[in-house]
Amino acid sequence: MSDFVARRPIWSLVVIFAVGILAWLIFSVWTPGMEAMLGRKRVFLSALFNGITLGALYFLVASGFTLIFGLMRNVNLAHGSLYLFGGYLGYSVGHLTGSWLLALLAAFVVVGIVGVLMQVLLFRWMEGQDLRQTLVTIGLSIIFADLLLWNYGGDTFQVTTPDWLSGPVQLPFVVALRGNGDPVMMTYPLVRLAILVGAIIVGVLMWLALNRTRVGMLVRAGVDDRDMLSATGVRVQLVFVMIFAFGAGLAGLAGVVGGTFQSLQPGEDTKILLSSLVVVIVGGMGSIPGAAIGALIVGLAEQFGSVYMPTYAVMLTFVIMVAVLAVRPQGLAARR
């Protein structure tokens, strides 16, 4: 952090000023003039927290995508299909067993196995052939989508929230004042906050695994110089299979998470893949902190756009992506 401040003092001041303004908007009691300009504070805070928790979902998907695409250089455009498949699988397991945690585990394991099959049967024979990988995985995503449509139909499904995560929780933010002067506190769904905490834990563990463990060192070394690493006796293909399986498993787990506070329906695979691509481009390929930053920006842009500029909300994320590419083509958190 101190290095960033020393190298970019102006940007540091901008960030500090923006954080200060945001904190003031969150904790202060809004005057009638502020509500006339920004709308009701409850709507603003709901958009803010919805954007943050949506960003947590995008991070779970994009973190696996950045491992496969950004770090291993495998163009897997079927990643959105893995998300939807994991969501449907989690819905089925949860419906049969009544356990949300078992649904998460089943989606992670089964979709991880599918990732192993994809890496062994497809990507191992297309190393470095980006165009072929793109075309093959597009075809694979179409096959996945048709199979899921055939099995589950075109209905909308939602994974049942467990009882211990159901209901709202009161947050220490005043959204309004009653006529007698008593504050009205904000309430927010507990399941969304739990998912946010879970995404933070996953992100921290992934960063530590990639930067502070031997496995992470092997992965980075294998990407930089596979032949030299193989000469030392390391089974590079086995390491890559494990990383691919973990990234695919995260997509399946995110499918259950997304199906819990959103919904599962045909077309979600394309939508989540597009969002993941934008997140990785904005944050930087192969960077876990970049995936977190990009996911937060995209999630907030979608939610605030849908509230304050619904006509142009779809374009807002792409405007952000174009702006980042124009200023910093490698992404916000990626190294040159």
Side-chain angles (χ1 to χ4, degrees):
M1 180 63 70
S2 59
D3 183 57
F4 177 83
V5 173
R7 289 186 291 112
R8 297 180 177 87
I10 296 178
W11 280 110
S12 301
L13 290 175
V14 170
V15 170
I16 293 172
F17 180 75
V19 170
I21 293 293
L22 181 61
W24 177 67
L25 290 174
I26 292 174
F27 291 102
S28 66
V29 177
W30 286 20
T31 63
M34 293 175 61
E35 291 192 350
M37 182 175 58
L38 298 174
R40 298 176 61 190
K41 185 179 180 181
R42 186 190 301 274
V43 175
F44 174 84
L45 289 181
S46 295
L48 176 65
F49 281 93
N50 286 342
I52 293 173
T53 52
L54 181 62
L57 171 64
Y58 286 162
F59 171 74
L60 288 175
V61 184
S63 57
F65 190 68
T66 198
L67 286 176
I68 296 172
F69 179 42
L71 194 59
M72 296 175 57
R73 307 296 190 267
N74 286 336
V75 185
N76 180 22
L77 295 187
H79 198 73
S81 300
L82 298 179
Y83 165 88
L84 189 59
F85 173 55
Y88 279 135
L89 180 65
Y91 168 80
S92 299
V93 173
H95 183 72
L96 290 174
T97 63
S99 174
W100 186 71
L101 293 177
L102 188 59
L104 284 175
L105 180 62
F108 181 81
V109 173
V110 174
V111 179
I113 294 173
V114 173
V116 170
L117 296 177
M118 290 175 61
Q119 211 284 329
V120 172
L121 299 178
L122 295 177
F123 285 98
R124 178 174 295 184
W125 312 105
M126 299 185 295
E127 293 290 344
Q129 303 178 45
D130 295 343
L131 179 59
R132 178 172 294 183
Q133 291 177 3
T134 301
L135 295 176
V136 169
T137 52
I138 288 176
L140 195 62
S141 67
I142 296 173
I143 294 172
F144 267 124
D146 287 342
L147 289 175
L148 293 175
L149 182 62
W150 168 65
N151 190 51
Y152 289 94
D155 297 331
T156 300
F157 298 92
Q158 189 165 17
V159 180
T160 303
T161 305
D163 294 337
W164 50 279
L165 286 179
S166 299
V169 61
Q170 182 173 292
L171 299 179
F173 306 124
V174 178
V175 295
L177 293 177
R178 294 188 176 93
N180 58 3
D182 293 337
V184 179
M185 308 306 290
M186 180 182 180
T187 58
Y188 198 73
L190 177 60
V191 63
R192 281 180 170 259
L193 297 177
I195 289 168
L196 173 61
V197 173
I200 293 173
I201 294 174
V202 169
V204 171
L205 292 178
M206 286 178 60
W207 185 87
L208 290 175
L210 283 175
N211 294 276
R212 296 292 186 269
T213 65
R214 185 173 183 271
V215 174
M217 178 189 66
L218 294 178
V219 171
R220 289 181 280 113
V223 171
D224 292 337
D225 196 333
R226 179 179 305 182
D227 295 335
M228 183 62 69
L229 186 63
S230 298
T232 63
V234 177
R235 300 178 63 181
V236 180
Q237 285 296 341
L238 179 61
V239 175
F240 277 17
V241 167
M242 292 171 56
I243 295 299
F244 201 104
F246 182 76
L250 276 181
L253 185 145
V256 181
V257 171
T260 301
F261 69 85
Q262 291 186 322
S263 61
L264 299 167
Q265 57 188 346
E268 285 294 314
D269 51 347
T270 304
K271 177 183 175 183
I272 205 72
L273 174 65
L274 194 58
S275 298
S276 300
L277 280 170
V278 175
V279 167
V280 172
I281 291 171
V282 170
M285 292 194 300
S287 171
I288 300 301
I293 295 172
L296 182 62
I297 291 174
V298 172
L300 289 173
E302 287 190 7
Q303 291 301 308
F304 277 110
S306 63
V307 171
Y308 292 104
M309 50 179 71
T311 305
Y312 306 102
V314 178
M315 298 174 53
L316 189 57
T317 55
F318 295 100
V319 171
I320 293 173
M321 182 183 71
V322 171
V324 171
L325 287 175
V327 176
R328 191 175 170 84
Q330 72 273 25
L332 295 176
R335 296 180 179 179
R336 295 185 180 275

